[in-house]
Amino acid sequence: MTTSASVPTGSESAITAGDTVTDRLVEANARYADAFADPGMDARPVLHVAVVACMDARLDLHAALGLELGDCHTIRNAGGVVTDDVIRSLTISQRKLGTRSVVLIHHTGCGLESLTEDFRNELEAEVGQRPAWAVESFRDVDQDVRQSMQRVRTSPFVPHTDDVRGFVFDVKTGLLREVDPVS
């Protein structure tokens, strides 16, 4: 599978020796900006929803969920797990920018399923400093979705928790499967 950023569209975007991926992205942005028109939106999502998902490059959330620019807030990290920083973002999203619903999306074949907290030990041995953050690895994707839903629902900072739902995205079929929060 290729993307528009990975395949040059014409001679003006041909990559010369020494160009980096970042150079390619900056060149793509220049082409984008040439045709850009301010859509006249503000930061408040039209659908009043925040989507928390894994950063996995195989997840095209807007396409998978039928979303358009301006529809949602998107919060992504490794595993799509609800960490303190995700709670921070959800709190701002709800309290200052009007979202009311939270959709959590993990996926099949996640890299966090093959890591352990030993990764932190390895980093400490390599760089001489232990990371302050947890890896948040997991073995059971459904259980991790449940844990993430629970973290959102019990946060004292997130005021709107009546519409918090969790899903697993199947990277082979593109389908979402909803996770029962109490199983």
Side-chain angles (χ1 to χ4, degrees):
M1 178 177 185
T2 59
T3 65
S4 58
S6 64
V7 178
T9 58
S11 60
E12 75 281 354
S13 61
I15 305 302
T16 59
D19 281 350
T20 67
V21 172
T22 304
D23 292 332
R24 291 168 62 180
L25 298 176
V26 171
E27 290 169 10
N29 175 256
R31 290 188 302 278
Y32 171 80
D34 284 343
F36 183 78
D38 180 359
M41 300 175 182
D42 68 13
R44 295 176 180 275
V46 173
L47 298 179
H48 307 287
V49 63
V51 178
V52 178
C54 185
M55 66 186 191
D56 192 294
R58 297 171 290 181
L59 277 67
D60 182 348
L61 294 175
H62 277 74
L65 300 174
L67 297 168
E68 299 292 331
L69 180 67
D71 282 349
C72 72
H73 283 159
T74 306
I75 304 161
R76 295 182 81 156
N77 66 20
V81 296
V82 175
T83 60
D84 286 346
D85 195 58
V86 169
I87 292 295
R88 170 188 163 273
S89 294
L90 288 173
T91 301
I92 294 167
S93 177
Q94 287 196 355
R95 291 182 178 268
K96 296 299 181 185
L97 297 167
T99 62
R100 296 293 179 264
S101 299
V102 178
V103 174
L104 305 169
I105 301 177
H106 286 35
H107 65 92
T108 58
C110 184
L112 283 187
E113 292 175 293
S114 63
L115 286 177
T116 68
E117 291 297 322
D118 286 339
F119 180 64
R120 294 172 72 213
N121 299 333
E122 295 166 11
L123 286 172
E124 182 177 19
E126 180 182 329
V127 302
Q129 181 178 342
R130 187 168 185 78
W133 40 263
V135 175
E136 296 277 355
S137 60
F138 53 87
R139 295 285 176 256
D140 181 334
V141 67
D142 286 36
Q143 185 55 36
D144 202 65
V145 170
R146 283 186 202 95
Q147 176 177 292
S148 289
M149 284 189 281
Q150 186 65 15
R151 285 178 176 174
V152 172
R153 288 184 176 137
T154 60
S155 172
F157 307 110
V158 180
H160 305 287
T161 59
D162 55 320
D163 189 16
V164 177
R165 294 170 64 186
F167 300 85
V168 175
F169 177 87
D170 187 315
V171 298
K172 300 288 186 200
T173 67
L175 290 172
L176 289 177
R177 176 178 51 78
E178 189 157 8
V179 174
D180 183 347
V182 293
S183 288

